[in-house]
Amino acid sequence: MGFTHRLRVLGASLLVLLATGAAAQDTNYWALQYGPVGQLLGGQVIGSERSLSATYYNPGGMALEDGTTFLLSTESFLIESFSTRPDSDIEIFDTSSTRLGSAPTLVAGSLPRSWLGEDTRLAWSFLTRQDLNSRLGERLTDPFGLEPAGSSATELYLDNRVNESWGGLTLSRKLSDTLGVGGTLYGVYRGQRSRTEINAQAVAPTLAAFSTLAITTFDYTHFRTLAKLGVAWERDNMRFGLNVTTPSLGLFGWGSAGYTLSFIGTDTDGNGIPDPPVLSSQTEDDLDAQYKSSWALGGGFAWYRGATRWHASAEWFAPVDLSLIHI
């Protein structure tokens, strides 16, 4: 592989690394489960949960349970692995990182029944909705095989962190021995950062030189509120439940961004003449921050027969209206 082609490959890799990906509705995915039953069943408890974890899954079901007054739910062990593999003979981006630890995901408590009567339950909860900590790195001295007549050096890094925590107050009322309704009002904090850094220098045996510098930074903090409403019904060996999650209402937030891009000595068309230098720099602080989420509708049921339990749940998410996002 010639020196020019290697520079093209590196340039393409650089563009991929710097490209801004489409933001997914990350809270659509049940990456974390709450409560011992929810963790055991993978979150398939919208219709069946009656303990304090119902503050999240279905607030209407909490009124049909007479027991738990406090719940601390943890993931005993959390293993998070993030890796990349090269798709060419250039050993670049071939790295991985792994984090091992433990983290509480739900803490909840029930307030005294004497406050609102025997048929009404009031509870508080605090849960971790998103927790991502990824870190990649690479330090290469000769990824293009230019030694000994030439030299090269590459330093890559990808670092992104996301944390989202929900704190809520739940009101649940039993309308009959088999029917309960309720709702949880959440206050949400979301903190997110992303760092991308790449440095590459190369000198070919022909003394052709290449240098590039690309740095992107991103910091984001946002506070919002939303509600979960639920209804639960049970009879004999069957349990059903429905829940509705409202769109988020933004309260306040702020963020900062940074962007640096510099190419010197590139030859993208392969004509042997270096392209003109490309220089760019942009940094902004005290930016307004927004975070949008959509309506969601969930449903589930549980069926009990002897020692066998069947649980099923499904959830539908409406698309986010991008016209509501002002740039």
Side-chain angles (χ1 to χ4, degrees):
M1 181 182 292
F3 179 66
T4 300
H5 185 64
R6 289 190 173 101
L7 296 186
R8 287 180 178 176
V9 174
L10 178 61
S13 301
L14 177 63
L15 292 177
V16 171
L17 184 61
L18 292 180
T20 301
Q25 297 182 42
D26 49 23
T27 53
N28 290 11
Y29 305 101
W30 297 350
L32 299 176
Q33 290 82 43
Y34 308 105
V37 178
Q39 290 180 350
L40 179 64
L41 298 175
Q44 307 296 313
V45 292
I46 293 178
S48 58
E49 188 57 274
R50 300 292 184 260
S51 69
L52 284 172
S53 58
T55 55
Y56 172 78
Y57 289 111
N58 187 347
M62 194 179 68
L64 301 178
E65 172 67 37
D66 295 328
T68 311
T69 59
F70 182 79
L71 175 64
L72 171 62
S73 173
T74 66
E75 294 186 17
S76 299
F77 293 97
L78 174 65
I79 300 177
E80 180 182 87
S81 180
F82 187 63
S83 65
T84 62
R85 294 291 180 267
D87 197 24
S88 66
D89 59 351
I90 296 180
E91 293 186 1
I92 195 168
F93 305 144
D94 184 10
T95 186
S96 63
S97 60
T98 302
R99 180 171 65 102
L100 173 64
S102 61
T105 58
L106 172 66
V107 181
S110 180
L111 299 175
R113 287 179 179 268
S114 59
W115 289 10
L116 297 176
E118 287 298 319
D119 292 333
T120 303
R121 295 193 65 183
L122 189 65
W124 58 269
S125 59
F126 181 85
L127 60 91
T128 301
R129 193 68 187 93
Q130 295 290 324
D131 185 14
L132 173 66
N133 186 2
S134 301
R135 186 178 178 89
L136 279 176
E138 187 100 45
R139 293 181 181 271
L140 305 174
T141 57
D142 188 31
F144 307 115
L146 301 178
E147 296 288 1
S151 62
S152 59
T154 304
E155 180 176 345
L156 309 171
Y157 229 96
L158 170 65
D159 179 14
N160 51 62
R161 301 176 184 175
V162 179
N163 177 264
E164 184 172 302
S165 300
W166 294 19
L169 185 65
T170 300
L171 179 66
S172 183
R173 182 168 179 81
K174 182 166 62 174
L175 302 182
S176 68
D177 291 340
T178 60
L179 181 64
V181 296
T184 302
L185 179 64
Y186 284 107
V188 181
Y189 158 80
R190 184 181 181 93
Q192 186 169 342
R193 61 164 292 182
S194 180
R195 172 194 166 212
T196 301
E197 182 174 344
I198 191 169
N199 294 284
Q201 303 87 30
V203 178
T206 61
L207 299 183
F210 168 80
S211 176
T212 183
L213 172 67
I215 300 174
T216 62
T217 61
F218 170 78
D219 286 287
Y220 173 95
T221 300
H222 189 261
F223 293 87
R224 69 188 197 273
T225 185
L226 58 87
K228 264 186 173 286
L229 309 175
V231 56
W233 178 84
E234 62 182 41
R235 188 168 183 177
D236 299 330
N237 60 345
M238 298 289 294
R239 288 185 177 184
F240 293 92
L242 293 174
N243 68 22
V244 176
T245 305
T246 67
S248 297
L249 175 63
L251 301 177
F252 55 91
W254 59 89
S256 62
Y259 177 80
T260 301
L261 180 65
S262 177
F263 295 95
I264 299 176
T266 59
D267 181 13
T268 57
D269 55 13
N271 62 2
I273 302 175
D275 299 334
V278 178
L279 301 172
S280 180
S281 179
Q282 179 177 335
T283 301
E284 295 185 77
D285 296 315
D286 299 325
L287 299 174
D288 291 334
Q290 299 183 60
Y291 185 89
K292 301 295 181 181
S293 64
S294 65
W295 289 96
L297 176 64
F301 75 92
W303 179 54
Y304 302 83
R305 185 176 179 86
T308 303
R309 305 286 189 270
W310 294 87
H311 298 261
S313 295
E315 199 163 8
W316 172 83
F317 296 83
V320 174
D321 188 355
L322 297 181
S323 65
L324 299 176
I325 300 178
H326 307 287
I327 300 177

